Amino acid sequence: MSTSESALPAQEQARLVEESKRLAAFQAVKDHLLPSYTKIGIGSGSTVVYVVDAIAALGPAITKSMTFYPTGAQSEELIEAAGLNLAYISKLPSGTQLDVAFDGADEVDDDLNLIKGGGACLWQEKIVAAAAKKFVCVADFRKLSPRLGTAWKKGIPIEVLPMAAPRVLDALKQMGSHGARIRPGLPGKAGAIVTDNGMWIIDAPFAPLLLPKDSEKGLHAENESSGVWTVDALADRLIKLPGVAEIGLFYGQSGLEVASGAQKPVAAYFGMADGSVEVRGAGAS
């Protein structure tokens, strides 16, 4: 947020952010939800509220033939409240893909890699995103960063088996993550937050993650203990730690590059502070 924006009263700042989310959501739905689509993934988070609003605004004449697949309880409630058809990803027939999935992010870098999991739904979110032919990210201007870990300082969310958490924390320290910790429960709840899958979340801060183009500038990941990693190398190392179920790095290839299983969005829509919408990646279908 710029100096002029940060000088705004808190209430006006909040209104600006919410309006930017709404604008990005409506533009993304306009560009990527074709009337012929029948299976749509709906993610989690505050921006997804506006995605569902945009879909519902199309009217039942268009949405009655569509079925919507949530990533968790929040998106399930949004789908039902909007009067849209609800189904579950566990019931999606083998070999079938979602036409498109919409979801938010905690941070997005220049190559459209994402950090997700601030709301502790990262495993379900990745399953739904990877089940879609194309995944579209919707966010506000605060989520746009040159490198992951630049603005999002809370760390990479890692979903772990509770019994493995101490060992994973030890490994993260050896990998150069300073301040990795088990995410606590909500205020008034003792102990760790428990995901829908009965797991815990570890938040692991790292130095901003490098991209392939950084090597051209003479920037390179050093040895493991330095804590300096590329996105792909860190993701590969984290997912291989015993006891780790899933990680909040969405990386690799997009649905434009592979036929199935893509984690990276084909496009990211950012509502900007000036009322515009910035699109990174593919635009309209």
Side-chain angles (χ1 to χ4, degrees):
M1 189 173 289
S2 69
T3 303
S4 60
E5 289 152 9
S6 62
L8 293 173
Q11 186 175 4
E12 180 60 19
Q13 288 184 31
R15 186 204 64 79
L16 185 67
V17 168
E18 292 306 309
E19 179 62 11
S20 69
K21 294 177 184 178
R22 188 189 70 82
L23 291 170
F26 274 73
Q27 188 64 49
V29 169
K30 178 183 177 183
D31 288 350
H32 289 279
L33 184 60
L34 302 185
S36 60
Y37 286 174
T38 59
K39 299 177 179 64
I40 297 93
I42 301 294
S44 310
S46 59
T47 308
V48 173
V49 173
Y50 299 104
V51 169
V52 175
D53 285 348
I55 293 170
L58 298 174
I62 292 177
T63 61
K64 66 181 180 181
S65 61
M66 297 176 174
T67 302
F68 298 85
Y69 295 76
T71 59
Q74 180 216 9
S75 44
E76 179 180 346
E77 291 174 3
L78 289 172
I79 291 166
E80 290 185 317
L84 302 173
N85 300 319
L86 175 70
Y88 297 99
I89 199 70
S90 60
K91 302 300 182 183
L92 190 68
S94 177
T96 303
Q97 290 178 276
L98 304 177
D99 295 299
V100 65
F102 297 95
D103 204 350
D106 296 308
E107 192 170 33
V108 186
D109 72 14
D110 283 347
D111 283 0
L112 298 191
N113 299 297
L114 313 178
I115 290 179
K116 290 176 56 57
C121 290
L122 61 99
W123 200 355
Q124 296 96 306
E125 289 170 347
K126 189 168 284 189
I127 289 170
V128 170
K133 295 176 183 176
K134 59 179 182 177
F135 164 35
V136 178
C137 180
V138 186
D140 64 80
F141 55 90
R142 302 171 303 166
K143 308 301 176 65
L144 184 57
S145 290
R147 305 291 180 275
L148 296 182
T150 302
W152 182 259
K153 299 296 187 181
K154 297 179 181 180
I156 298 165
I158 304 170
E159 191 159 355
V160 301
L161 191 69
M163 67 176 291
R167 295 287 183 178
V168 173
L169 286 171
D170 286 344
L172 290 169
K173 185 177 181 180
Q174 294 172 10
M175 293 166 61
S177 176
H178 301 293
R181 65 174 191 143
I182 298 167
R183 189 182 299 179
L186 299 173
K189 177 186 179 300
I193 190 169
V194 179
T195 71
D196 291 347
N197 311 303
M199 304 288 182
W200 288 358
I201 296 288
I202 289 176
D203 293 303
F206 283 90
L209 303 184
L210 302 182
L211 299 174
K213 63 183 178 183
D214 290 325
S215 62
E216 301 172 6
K217 303 175 184 177
L219 299 174
H220 300 279
E222 301 174 17
N223 57 65
E224 181 174 295
S225 61
S226 71
V228 180
W229 295 83
T230 62
V231 175
D232 287 16
L234 180 59
D236 182 67
R237 181 75 175 88
L238 290 176
I239 199 64
K240 290 177 179 176
L241 292 175
V244 169
E246 191 51 85
I247 61 173
L249 288 173
F250 285 51
Y251 71 106
Q253 295 175 303
S254 77
L256 298 177
E257 299 167 305
V258 292
S260 63
Q263 299 180 19
K264 188 186 289 188
V266 299
Y269 284 67
F270 299 94
M272 306 306 288
D274 63 2
S276 65
V277 175
E278 182 174 331
V279 184
R280 299 282 184 96
S285 302

